[in-house]
Amino acid sequence: MALQALLLKTFHRSPLTFKPVVTIVVANSLCTKQIQANWKRSKMTSKRVQPPWKVPEGTDDVKLKFYNSLTRQKEVFVPQNGRRVLWYSCGPTVYDASHMGHARSYISFDILRRVMQDYFNYDVLYCMNITDVDDKIIRRARQNYLWQNYMGESHPWKKVMDDTLLAMKPFSVKLTKEADLDKKAMYERQKAKVDAAVNNLESVMNNQSKDEAAIQAARENLLESSKDIISDWLDQNHGSEVTDNSIFLSLPKYWEEDYHKDMESLNVLPADVLTRVTEYIPEVIDYVQKIIDNNYAYEANGSVYFRTSEFSESDGHFYGKLVPEAVGDANALNEGEGELSVSESQLGQKKNQSDFALWKASKPGEPSWDSPWGKGRPGWHIECSVMASCILGESLDIHTGGFDLKFPHHDNELAQAEAYYENDNWVRYFLHTGHLTIDNCKMSKSLKNFISIKEALKKHTSQQLRLLFLLHAWKDTLDYGDNSMEVALKYEKNVNEFFLTVKDVLRLTPSTGVAAFEKWTEDEVAMNETYLAMRRDVHAALCDSINTRQTLEVMREAISACNIYITKCKVDKRFPNRMLLKNMATYITNMLKIYGAIETETVIGFPQGGTGGTDLEGTVMPYLQAFAQFRDDVRKVSREQKVVDILKICDQVRDDTLPNLGVRLEDHEDRPTAIKLVDRETLMKEREEKLKQQELKRKEKERKKRELEAAKEAKEAQARIPPSELFKKETDKYSKFDDKGIPTHDAEGKELAKSALKKLTKMYEAQEKTYSKYLKSQQGGASGES
């Protein structure tokens, strides 16, 4: 009807004459409804098709970079064959005990290798060599052999004295000529030690008593003090007479075995492939021959030398890639050639000063093998080029070694291999660890100031030593000493306490069911953000040339945030969210496992004792929980009934008995006692420190008490002085006084200034009041007695 009224108004017609129009309009209206219905049906049908999807705009992935010694900057790491990484590492020259300098390299490389394998998931083939024939090994083997024979001859004291004085002559010449200040200082210490031993023996012999025991002791002291000098002297005179090859093989075999034991003690993974020079002599000879054939080497009197100039001048080659500024450094080149290979006649065989030996003609007293150039032995540098090539081929992804090996050793390695393969990319990434110093002093086996790995492990655990290395960048100098170890120990304690706290929370909170999940507050949201940020920042630091120092700092900050969160939950009288803490602790544990700082398959934290794979914590914790609950109940009843003696016994068990068993109890208000398994030594130190602090507090309390008593006595003594006598004894300050006893002149007889008199008068008046109070107190006391 509304529509009809509208039409009537529009066309000014009566309802009777409007029927056709109404019919048309109604029909049109029905048609419009049908169109609308069809349109809606079409629209509903179109909704069943998924709308376009837009790719999220994320951040770019952080790529792994290494500080590459070949470019002296960080470079993106790109393996040559997918995820496969060919890695060669220079191993030890085995002629003495492994020391902390070795640990600097091999622990650092072990950390890098573990991160590459277990974090970045590369397929690493890790090859390392053992140098078991070398100038140092030859000299040490001969010296040991000749010294043992000398000692076996049991020479009388006079012979020992004469031989020592003879040996000191060439040694003194060497001392005078030595230019290296560190070596010169070492030689001077040796000389002083021998001189003292000689003087001691002479003194004993000049003594009329001629005590045989004293003579023998002085003789033994001289032998011990002069061992290195006499051994060197014996080698100079009789070294060429040592011809038994077994002598040169037994020494490196012994020290290689010792090296492997040290590496196992440090939790350093064994190499996938280990090569020894003496096992690759045929390959060395073939390798050298090909370099000769390529016109990069020449033979001279049975030795073969590398042509550095010809190599560097040829297309596609460059000599001295790592340290070009050191090319031509005679001292470095001669040190690389070895002590037995730098005589004037040998150096005179070279066509160029920078040329170096690939094959050395053996002299009497040296091990030798047959070759096309006569009997000889490999040069030091050629061994790594040959063995790495045999195992890893014509191009390595990574080559590692100590900083001091850059030139000439590694530069010569590169030249040899690239001359052999006629390529320019034998090594893609060269990584060098920094030096190790001891209390900021250079450490060196040749300087005889090294600390062996066994000595270091007597003071600290392998876990603590590894944390020390993790807290330093692998390419930087690391100082090993009490100060740096203290930082590592504090870090270990901080992380361990966090692990113990988290494990206690996990024991006390439900792990499944409804009660295991609670609504997150702002604190939990913030804590989760901290966890995600930690993972992100650790990854970024590892991509930044495997910066473990930064990762440990990131984890330390996350632990600090967790501790704040846990403390706030205690204040709020609620338990922290177990899953957040578990995620945080599990991640940190896994990272420390990757780093090799945790050796066992623990879920959370450092291993807590046990032998033969025994889960000590899992075994004893149920019993400790039962005991702790019983103790809590006893303490509760004792408090209610005020039985102090029982409370003292409960404290004694916590403070004295359980720490001796490696158990720490921490009592808390309104929640069960925390139970933490800690190694006994740590708890004993904590107990000792606690007792020490208690004793310091007691002494401080007594000191303050004595001070208060002394101050009180002084105040009382001051009060007993009559005002007229207050200044009379200060004759060093004043010479004249008025009738009241107030000074008027100073010690020199000069009249005092008005300001000084005013000050003294105030002091006098104050003493009058004090003395008056004292007299009244005395009168009061006297009347009371009467």
Side-chain angles (χ1 to χ4, degrees), residues 476-574:
D476 295 339
T477 297
L478 185 154
D479 185 60
Y480 172 71
D482 292 338
N483 291 336
S484 57
M485 282 307 308
E486 184 63 27
V487 174
L489 295 176
K490 285 183 178 179
Y491 191 91
E492 179 190 48
K493 182 177 181 181
N494 182 45
V495 175
N496 191 45
E497 288 298 327
F498 169 67
F499 286 147
L500 294 173
T501 299
V502 171
K503 286 193 278 190
D504 185 62
V505 170
L506 298 182
R507 279 193 294 270
L508 297 175
T509 54
S511 59
T512 59
V514 175
F517 301 94
E518 293 184 350
K519 180 183 177 181
W520 279 17
T521 67
E522 291 181 356
D523 295 332
E524 279 72 41
V525 172
M527 197 68 249
N528 189 55
E529 286 297 321
T530 299
Y531 168 65
L532 296 176
M534 174 187 66
R535 296 189 62 144
R536 180 196 65 224
D537 293 345
V538 165
H539 180 72
L542 290 178
C543 287
D544 184 20
S545 199
I546 306 187
N547 187 349
T548 58
R549 181 179 183 274
Q550 181 61 25
T551 66
L552 262 61
E553 176 60 21
V554 168
M555 292 190 287
R556 186 197 64 77
E557 290 176 354
I559 288 172
S560 178
C562 279
N563 291 336
I564 293 172
Y565 167 67
I566 292 170
T567 300
K568 188 174 186 303
C569 289
K570 287 180 181 178
V571 172
D572 296 342
K573 294 185 178 181
R574 67 186 182 95

Side-chain angles (χ1 to χ4, degrees), residues 722-740:
S724 59
E725 299 296 325
L726 182 63
F727 304 109
K728 290 290 181 67
K729 292 183 179 180
E730 297 184 37
T731 55
D732 58 326
K733 295 181 180 179
Y734 312 112
S735 59
K736 291 183 180 181
F737 306 85
D738 64 10
D739 295 340
K740 294 181 178 180

Side-chain angles (χ1 to χ4, degrees), residues 723 764-774:
Y764 178 89
E765 292 172 350
Q767 184 64 21
E768 271 188 321
K769 293 179 181 178
T770 301
Y771 187 68
S772 176
K773 288 181 182 179
Y774 166 73

Side-chain angles (χ1 to χ4, degrees), residues 61 102 118 186 231 280 285 308 311 324 345 403 420 469 561 578 592 640 661 680 731 761 768:
D61 290 336
H102 293 125
D118 301 333
M186 177 192 70
S231 296
Y280 281 80
I285 292 171
T308 53
F311 175 79
S345 61
F403 182 89
Y420 178 86
F469 285 73
R578 65 174 281 124
L592 292 175
E640 291 172 351
L661 299 174
R680 178 182 177 277
T731 55
T761 301
E768 271 188 321

Side-chain angles (χ1 to χ4, degrees), residues 395-461:
S395 188
L396 321 181
D397 292 301
I398 296 175
H399 191 320
T400 48
F403 182 89
D404 55 332
L405 296 179
K406 280 186 177 183
F407 185 87
H409 185 55
H410 286 159
D411 267 325
N412 289 354
E413 270 190 56
L414 286 166
Q416 292 163 160
E418 292 173 1
Y420 178 86
Y421 287 111
E422 285 286 12
N423 68 14
D424 188 42
N425 50 22
W426 187 60
V427 173
R428 302 291 183 158
Y429 299 84
F430 234 125
L431 315 182
H432 290 96
T433 54
H435 286 301
L436 182 131
T437 57
I438 298 178
D439 290 327
N440 295 311
C441 295
K442 181 181 177 182
M443 192 211 75
S444 169
K445 187 182 289 186
S446 62
L447 296 177
K448 302 183 186 301
N449 70 332
F450 65 91
I451 295 176
S452 72
I453 289 172
K454 290 181 178 60
E455 289 172 333
L457 286 172
K458 288 178 182 177
K459 295 180 66 177
H460 301 104
T461 66

Side-chain angles (χ1 to χ4, degrees), residues 93-97 130-145 148 244-259 445:
T93 300
V94 282
Y95 68 98
D96 206 336
I130 295 289
T131 298
D132 60 350
V133 59
D134 168 81
D135 288 45
K136 293 177 181 177
I137 293 173
I138 294 168
R139 289 192 72 246
R140 181 61 62 85
R142 291 192 318 211
Q143 288 173 352
N144 287 353
Y145 174 76
Q148 288 168 4
D244 186 354
N245 263 12
S246 65
I247 293 171
F248 303 110
L249 297 176
S250 59
L251 177 75
K253 184 177 181 180
Y254 173 84
W255 286 116
E256 182 191 338
E257 188 66 39
D258 190 71
Y259 163 81
K445 187 182 289 186

Side-chain angles (χ1 to χ4, degrees), residues 15 219 229 263 333 378 436 452 474 534 583 662:
R219 173 184 173 277
I229 294 172
M263 293 302 104
L333 288 165
L436 182 131
S452 72
W474 55 265
M534 174 187 66
N583 288 343

